[in-house]
Amino acid sequence: MKARNWLVPALLLISAFAQAQEKFKVGYIRVMDDAQAMVAHEAGLYKKHGLDVELIEFSSGTDLIKAIVGGQLDTGVLGFTNAVAWASKGADLKVVGGAQQGYHSIVAREATDIKEVADLKGHSLASQKEGSTADTVLRGVTFRDANLQPGDVNVLGVSPAVAVQSLVSGRVDAAFLFEPYDRIAQLVAPVRQIYEIGAVWPFPCMVVITSGDTLAKRKDAVWKSLDAQREAIEMLEKQPAEAAKLIANYFIAEPTLKTLQRGELPREVVIEEAIATQTFSAKLDGDDLARIQELADILQLQGSLKTRDGKPFDTSAIVDLSWQQAREL
């Protein structure tokens, strides 16, 4: 009996140690909107908070959300529209923190007559894939406000890198881009910026998402990851040059970028300039939550989101702000 009494706490200790050593998997997309996840990893902030993090790259928010739903990821930084679309189908997802406020600009080739959004009629524009957060706000907000109808603009759903290449080669007349691809396009292609959605319709573009199951079972680890990313956001805001050095190679493979007007620019300079255009925030406030609901309503209007009873999807059901409330953000 004594041996058994000794064995039980020993096994519990081993189990607790194994859980502490278990990797915490964070998904991200290689865009400036996800910079907090990259900086937290490269600056050792996850380790500082006691986490052994594996940072896993995804090519799209759709693939990333599938990994969260399937249990292959613990958290991910991605667009809210992915979460609401899956949650409306029954997926157990939770938005647990903020990341980045929407910065998406339209750049148009200087050789065209495009001076404002309405001028895009009859032209080609490179953007993200249909159903993405970028595509949702492009069609549901930007085009709507410019009185552009479906079919007025030839929208090509491609990756940001391909969009920049298409501008350089002249295959498209304009592109709807986020950083750092907006900055890169303006440096390497003969384009001008004609619009930036954050200036006219601010919204929380990227958020931190997990599953309800992960939040229930690994709440402490999820919160530690949010603490690390919050510190990363502080670095991005207060030490952009240092942050740029950490993540420049994520976006630009070569040490320098050949530009049209400024010669060879160190990639760290390009990324620091891109960081400066962004508004990062670990907190979701009342205005953010209202925008999140508005985005869900737009998705429903576009037919990308359907509820069983046809009523508006209540986004508050998938928002868990317990971490920011505990941290008094």
Side-chain angles (χ1 to χ4, degrees):
M1 182 66 70
K2 288 183 179 179
R4 288 183 181 177
N5 289 341
W6 171 85
L7 185 59
V8 171
L11 290 174
L12 289 174
L13 183 62
I14 292 171
S15 176
F17 180 78
Q19 285 187 343
Q21 296 302 305
E22 185 180 350
K23 280 190 178 294
F24 189 86
K25 297 181 179 180
V26 177
Y28 79 104
I29 302 170
R30 199 175 290 252
V31 292
M32 188 59 65
D33 303 13
D34 286 32
Q36 69 187 64
M38 303 174 213
V39 170
H41 188 262
E42 296 300 326
L45 298 176
Y46 291 125
K47 289 183 180 179
K48 174 184 174 182
H49 287 274
L51 293 178
D52 181 11
V53 164
E54 181 180 355
L55 199 62
I56 303 174
E57 181 183 356
F58 289 82
S59 60
S60 72
T62 300
D63 292 338
L64 201 162
I65 204 76
K66 285 180 180 178
I68 292 176
V69 172
Q72 289 84 42
L73 281 180
D74 293 299
T75 69
V77 180
L78 68 160
F80 169 78
T81 55
N82 293 281
V84 73
W86 279 80
S88 69
K89 300 174 185 176
D92 181 21
L93 295 168
K94 296 294 179 184
V95 175
V96 292
Q100 186 258 4
Q101 298 293 304
Y103 178 101
H104 292 73
S105 77
I106 295 178
V107 294
R109 286 182 59 83
E110 293 176 348
T112 68
D113 59 355
I114 303 170
K115 302 294 192 299
E116 56 186 37
V117 178
D119 296 333
L120 288 169
K121 186 173 183 178
H123 288 280
S124 57
L125 176 138
S127 183
Q128 296 296 288
K129 294 180 179 178
E130 188 173 351
S132 65
T133 301
D135 182 74
T136 300
V137 297
L138 175 66
R139 298 174 190 272
V141 178
T142 306
F143 285 175
R144 177 199 66 191
D145 293 349
N147 294 316
L148 289 172
Q149 304 302 313
D152 283 348
V153 184
N154 180 22
V155 179
L156 299 150
V158 297
S159 71
V162 171
V164 173
Q165 293 168 4
S166 298
L167 284 169
V168 172
S169 65
R171 290 198 299 271
V172 295
D173 302 318
F176 191 45
L177 297 168
F178 37 69
E179 294 287 20
Y181 302 99
D182 167 87
R183 181 72 44 232
I184 292 171
Q186 293 187 59
L187 288 168
V188 304
V191 298
R192 56 175 172 266
Q193 186 184 97
I194 65 164
Y195 174 88
E196 198 272 287
I197 194 168
V200 295
W201 200 79
F203 71 103
C205 176
M206 292 292 195
V207 293
V208 183
I209 298 171
T210 187
S211 69
D213 184 62
T214 297
L215 188 60
K217 294 178 179 177
R218 306 194 70 187
K219 176 181 173 181
D220 183 57
V222 171
W223 282 25
K224 285 179 179 179
S225 73
L226 292 170
D227 288 335
Q229 290 181 14
R230 180 187 178 189
E231 284 194 40
I233 286 175
E234 290 177 0
M235 178 179 284
L236 286 159
E237 292 176 332
K238 298 176 182 178
Q239 300 172 280
E242 292 303 312
K245 290 177 183 178
L246 292 173
I247 62 174
N249 65 325
Y250 277 73
F251 305 107
I252 304 172
E254 299 301 322
T256 62
L257 181 71
K258 186 176 182 180
T259 72
L260 292 178
Q261 304 293 334
R262 297 166 63 184
E264 296 276 350
L265 276 183
R267 61 187 176 189
E268 293 83 3
V269 171
V270 177
I271 299 307
E272 182 181 357
E273 291 179 1
I275 290 172
T277 68
Q278 305 293 279
T279 301
F280 298 97
S281 177
K283 178 183 178 180
L284 292 170
D285 61 22
D287 289 340
D288 294 328
L289 297 178
R291 278 291 197 232
I292 282 174
Q293 183 63 57
E294 191 172 352
L295 276 169
D297 295 342
I298 289 171
L299 279 171
Q300 202 158 355
L301 185 65
Q302 292 176 340
S304 299
L305 186 158
K306 296 179 180 179
T307 57
R308 293 176 182 177
D309 55 10
K311 295 180 179 179
F313 181 83
D314 181 9
T315 57
S316 65
I318 64 169
V319 176
D320 185 312
L321 300 183
S322 56
W323 169 78
Q324 75 175 43
Q325 291 164 354
R327 299 298 188 262
E328 297 182 349
L329 298 187

